Amino acid sequence: MICVSLGRTRHKMVLAEHQALAERGAKLVELRLDWLSRVPDLGRLLVDRPTPVIVTCRRPRDKGLWRFTEEQRQTLLRSAIVAGADYVDLEEDIATDIRRYGPTKRIISYHNFDETPADIADIHARLAKLDADIVKIVTMANSPADNVRMLQLVRGAASLTVGFCMGEFGLPSRILTGRYGAPFTYATFHRERQMAPGQPTFDEMRDVYRYDQINEETEVFGVVADPVAHSYSPLIHNAALAHLGLNAVYLPFRVPEGTLAETIREFDALAVKGYSVTLPHKEAVVELADERDKAVDEIGAANTLYRNDRGTWSAANTDHDAALSSLVEALSAESPDKPAEAAHPLAGKKVLLLGAGGVARAIGHGVVRHGGILMVTNRTKARAAELAEQFGCVLVQWENRGAQFADVLINCTSVGMHPGVDETPFVANWLREGMIVFDTVYNPERTLLIKQARERGCRTVTGVEMFVRQAARQFELFTGQPAPQDVMRDTLRQAISPARSS
Ligand code: NAP
């Protein structure tokens, strides 16, 4: 069950939002009385309540907004119990001062906004002794491993326990806590009114992560990155899992550079079955795999780590496959009557690659392998020179990139990406009709480069196509099922910047 935290300064707004939440299917609402600017009127808030409620009233020292006296606060909590609130949230230090009465259930809570302390099990034991119906323990995660410690605590607890971590590191524990036995997790009504750091919205929890369907059998996948909050992978993978009705969830894992190996070992406790891997881990992940695709070995980078049939880790580079297949489709559309046994569509094509980062390396590798004539250029010359040496291809000065004749132009820089949507790495009058222009940037889909290329009569391939294909291939490696690519594409298009349609 998802408990939605509701905090507003006016009673009228609390009542209206509580009603709206009930109509949207919320089954439990936390009324954060400390948010109200006037002394709370419990009668108004509890009579005819449209869902069961948890009454909570936090002091400023617990990061709450209560502006009246502590005596008034405790009187209010006692009154909530007398009025028959379904649950009341009591901090550890006041739990013995506020007695059990009637059917109201007692949540005895501990919050730590700085860390997940080493002694969470001792803290839990202390709380459980305070006549608790539910122990609530919420701490700040400062590392991926804090999620694991917290979820193990929830699983091993003798009493009913809601336990999860806050912050970007802690999101997996909020989503998985039910899998380990927590009776509910918390979400916010609205992104702009988070009650705690990293709290997802009700809609995200319910519709993206399908929290209420997560159980002990639910398989776990996710993306490892730092930062990770901006990633669209959870959105599109979860949409695909939901579309096929699979009992699986895909999570964002924030993993700092240099900590991938230890995190993956720690996450064995969560039985994670597959990872999408992105910056800054694409190279580090190669060493962690027991088996690797040929392309991974050749490129030295992977974007996928998954449990193979033997239960060991395999690494794949689906960026490479996705970019190549998108390009091949565009090239094949140029000469649809070409016999299947003819040379690879890239063979003999002059390809100008802008950029020298991880994506450029993956795509450049594929171009060379299939007989394309590769030219690389990059703002920082040394990186382009290194790539040119690796591929044995032509190095073009960044300043001269417009003067090259190319059949195919591929942008592997981040230029044109949201919010820099008015920028392009290749000005319009360098483009010529008939050229294939592939922009790997996917947010927005219609970058300035793509728009100008279309105006000039070029054939275009967008980063959305590549992004969807690399995710679809990952999905297939993770689940063994064909990916619903249309669902993934539609979900991504709805989520990315509106600039795509301008
Ligand atoms: P990366 O390793 O950080 O490389 C970034 C590249 O962009 C470098 O070549 C960098 O040049 C260049 N660059 C950055 N700002 C620039 C500027 N103002 N002017 C000129 N060049 C600039 O990143 P990556 O992983 O290769 O990703 C590159 C892009 O690919 C991303 O921005 C993303 O949009 C896209 N991408 C797409 C997909 C997809 O599935 N569609 C997947 C992953 C990435 P310097 O060396 O001079 O810094």
Side-chain angles (χ1 to χ4, degrees):
M1 186 161 49
I2 304 166
C3 173
V4 190
S5 300
L6 194 51
R8 296 303 305 257
T9 51
R10 295 170 58 205
H11 288 72
K12 198 171 145 191
M13 295 312 297
V14 175
L15 291 168
E17 288 190 0
H18 193 173
Q19 187 59 41
L21 276 168
E23 283 162 17
R24 279 164 52 194
K27 299 280 186 287
L28 181 62
V29 168
E30 178 187 46
L31 299 178
R32 283 288 301 264
L33 300 186
D34 52 300
W35 275 55
L36 288 164
S37 56
R38 297 208 329 251
V39 175
D41 179 347
L42 277 177
R44 241 179 118 189
L45 296 172
L46 296 184
V47 72
D48 297 335
R49 55 187 179 274
T51 72
V53 292
I54 298 173
V55 170
T56 302
C57 187
R58 294 262 182 264
R59 299 165 285 205
R61 71 181 228 214
D62 299 317
K63 302 242 190 284
L65 299 176
W66 183 246
R67 57 206 90 193
F68 308 104
T69 67
E70 177 58 12
E71 199 184 332
Q72 279 173 299
R73 189 177 82 96
Q74 294 192 21
T75 301
L76 184 70
L77 291 167
R78 285 189 193 95
S79 307
I81 296 172
V82 171
D86 306 274
Y87 299 87
V88 65
D89 183 313
L90 306 173
E91 299 85 8
E92 181 182 5
D93 62 293
I94 65 160
T96 44
D97 297 332
I98 298 188
R99 300 267 191 80
R100 177 182 291 280
Y101 173 77
T104 303
K105 291 202 164 63
R106 290 160 60 88
I107 300 173
I108 311 298
S109 66
Y110 169 87
H111 291 78
N112 186 326
F113 289 87
D114 298 320
E115 59 168 352
T116 302
D119 59 345
I120 45 173
D122 296 341
I123 294 167
H124 183 279
R126 262 187 356 237
L127 302 182
K129 283 187 197 139
L130 297 172
D131 190 17
D133 293 296
I134 295 176
V135 170
K136 180 185 180 197
I137 182 154
V138 181
T139 60
M140 180 59 76
N142 293 319
S143 74
D146 286 342
N147 289 287
V148 178
R149 288 202 292 126
M150 179 59 80
L151 293 173
Q152 284 173 333
L153 175 82
V154 175
R155 176 162 49 196
S159 47
L160 214 48
T161 300
V162 173
F164 55 82
C165 299
M166 295 179 280
E168 196 183 356
F169 281 118
L171 184 57
S173 64
R174 288 182 179 274
I175 298 164
L176 293 180
T177 190
R179 188 184 189 227
Y180 294 88
F184 50 83
T185 192
Y186 286 76
T188 179
F189 178 74
H190 195 280
R191 176 155 304 290
E192 279 153 27
R193 288 198 292 279
Q194 280 185 337
M195 307 286 146
Q199 198 177 41
T201 63
F202 177 50
D203 291 346
E204 279 169 332
M205 216 31 135
R206 182 180 63 171
D207 302 336
V208 177
Y209 296 108
R210 295 183 295 150
Y211 179 85
D212 286 325
Q213 285 154 57
I214 295 175
N215 55 33
E216 280 174 35
E217 274 79 50
T218 302
E219 293 191 334
V220 178
F221 303 99
V223 52
V224 287
D226 191 15
V228 74
H230 67 285
S231 174
Y232 291 104
S233 295
L235 216 51
I236 73 169
H237 277 274
N238 281 313
L241 293 168
H243 182 76
L244 296 187
L246 300 180
N247 186 7
V249 65
Y250 182 104
L251 305 173
F253 296 121
R254 180 177 167 205
V255 178
E257 189 163 12
T259 66
L260 185 65
E262 65 187 79
T263 300
I264 291 200
R265 266 197 310 277
E266 294 271 5
F267 281 4
D268 275 349
L270 308 181
V272 181
K273 296 191 83 180
Y275 295 96
S276 305
V277 181
T278 185
L279 294 177
H281 304 298
K282 284 186 174 181
E283 272 108 37
V285 70
V286 176
E287 296 305 315
L288 304 181
D290 304 290
E291 292 172 37
R292 290 172 278 273
D293 278 8
K294 194 162 167 261
V296 171
D297 275 331
E298 289 171 1
I299 300 162
N303 73 335
T304 313
L305 188 70
Y306 63 102
R307 287 268 182 215
N308 56 40
D309 298 341
R310 291 162 299 290
T312 58
W313 288 115
S314 284
N317 193 316
T318 71
D319 279 341
H320 167 270
D321 305 345
L324 263 281
S325 70
S326 307
L327 255 184
V328 164
E329 193 171 288
L331 285 160
S332 306
E334 263 191 333
S335 42
D337 302 329
K338 216 170 165 183
E341 67 277 10
H344 191 277
L346 270 167
K349 297 286 183 199
K350 284 193 164 176
V351 179
L352 178 61
L353 196 65
L354 309 178
V359 169
R361 189 175 298 272
I363 298 180
H365 172 268
V367 170
V368 172
R369 187 149 65 93
H370 294 295
I373 302 162
L374 185 66
M375 300 175 278
V376 295
T377 185
N378 188 49
R379 178 183 62 176
T380 307
K381 188 180 168 192
R383 291 183 83 192
E386 195 189 310
L387 212 59
E389 195 183 327
Q390 182 188 345
F391 293 139
C393 71
V394 176
L395 171 67
V396 171
Q397 301 291 332
W398 183 246
E399 300 69 34
N400 295 341
R401 64 196 185 284
Q404 309 305 311
F405 174 86
D407 301 300
V408 180
L409 174 77
I410 309 177
N411 175 33
C412 298
T413 74
S414 48
V415 180
M417 192 167 83
H418 183 79
V421 295
D422 296 328
E423 292 163 25
T424 172
F426 205 79
V427 298
N429 59 12
W430 296 342
L431 296 162
R432 51 168 194 83
E433 194 178 340
M435 216 179 188
I436 290 183
V437 175
F438 176 11
D439 196 344
T440 65
V441 170
Y442 56 88
N443 184 13
E445 180 170 16
R446 284 179 219 170
T447 58
L448 184 56
L449 175 62
I450 290 286
K451 280 192 245 180
Q452 291 179 336
R454 286 179 183 165
E455 282 160 19
R456 299 248 156 181
C458 306
R459 187 180 292 277
T460 57
V461 181
T462 72
V464 163
E465 200 48 44
M466 174 180 162
F467 190 82
V468 168
R469 285 178 192 224
Q470 62 78 28
R473 182 70 191 123
Q474 287 180 334
F475 185 92
E476 288 165 4
L477 294 169
F478 292 160
T479 65
Q481 308 265 346
Q485 283 202 28
D486 290 346
V487 171
M488 297 172 101
R489 192 175 292 103
D490 290 349
T491 305
L492 180 63
R493 283 188 170 142
Q494 273 170 30
I496 57 182
S497 157
R500 73 176 181 83
S501 54
S502 59

